[in-house]
Amino acid sequence: MKNLKQYIKEEIIRLQEKEYKAPPELLDVLKNKLKMDPLNRFIDKFKAVNTIPPSYRVFLLNGEFFDVYYESFSLLIKIGSKEYFVGDLDERNYAIKHINKLLTDPLLKSVGDKETETTGDTAASTPASPPPPEEPEV
């Protein structure tokens, strides 16, 4: 009876979680080492990147991303210009904090967003820059 309950729990978890096409060691690192379990709560998709060493780009639900590189002795998490080795406990903890920051920080809106174009009349009322002066005829 206990085995049946455990099997049902595992099956429910398997059915609820989105299937990702990524290597199992990458999924294991994200779930267990980086504490991103369940993955569908944090991750939108994966993309294989043509790099040496091979890597995957992990796209988060809010549009941010980070890269996971396969190194010879450990996986490397690269977020922006920062690099963290998963095998090192201190660096792994910093990577978790940095990923959490990616997930929780508000996204900055770019200048060309619809909201900035439509909300304010100041952008529409500012005069355009004057045309360049014409060269005099000789």
Side-chain angles (χ1 to χ4, degrees):
M1 190 67 158
K2 192 172 189 178
N3 289 338
L4 180 62
K5 285 182 182 180
Q6 182 64 24
Y7 174 76
I8 291 172
K9 284 181 183 180
E10 290 173 0
E11 190 65 20
I12 289 172
I13 290 171
R14 187 187 67 76
L15 291 173
Q16 285 178 341
E17 192 166 303
K18 183 178 174 182
E19 291 292 323
Y20 293 103
K21 294 188 178 192
E25 62 270 9
L26 177 63
L27 297 175
D28 181 57
V29 163
L30 291 172
K31 282 182 179 182
N32 300 324
K33 302 240 178 181
L34 296 177
K35 298 176 176 49
M36 296 179 77
D37 190 30
L39 290 177
N40 60 351
R41 184 175 166 202
F42 305 103
I43 295 174
D44 182 30
K45 62 183 175 180
F46 293 99
K47 180 180 178 187
V49 182
N50 293 330
T51 59
I52 299 175
S55 66
Y56 277 85
R57 182 157 283 179
V58 179
F59 291 93
L60 302 173
L61 289 175
N62 64 353
E64 296 288 336
F65 64 90
F66 62 92
D67 297 326
V68 181
Y69 289 87
Y70 285 91
E71 294 291 334
S72 60
F73 53 90
S74 177
L75 290 175
L76 173 80
I77 306 294
K78 186 171 183 182
I79 306 170
S81 63
K82 308 256 185 193
E83 296 179 347
Y84 308 100
F85 285 101
V86 176
D88 184 10
L89 183 61
D90 289 336
E91 289 189 20
R92 183 184 333 147
N93 289 334
Y94 285 124
I96 292 170
K97 287 180 184 177
H98 202 150
I99 292 170
N100 188 40
K101 189 173 181 180
L102 283 178
L103 288 165
T104 57
D105 278 355
L107 298 175
L108 298 175
K109 297 196 183 287
S110 62
V111 176
D113 280 350
K114 289 182 182 178
E115 290 181 351
T116 56
E117 290 177 0
T118 59
T119 56
D121 291 333
T122 57
S125 65
T126 54
S129 60
E134 295 181 15
E135 294 184 21
E137 293 182 20
V138 179

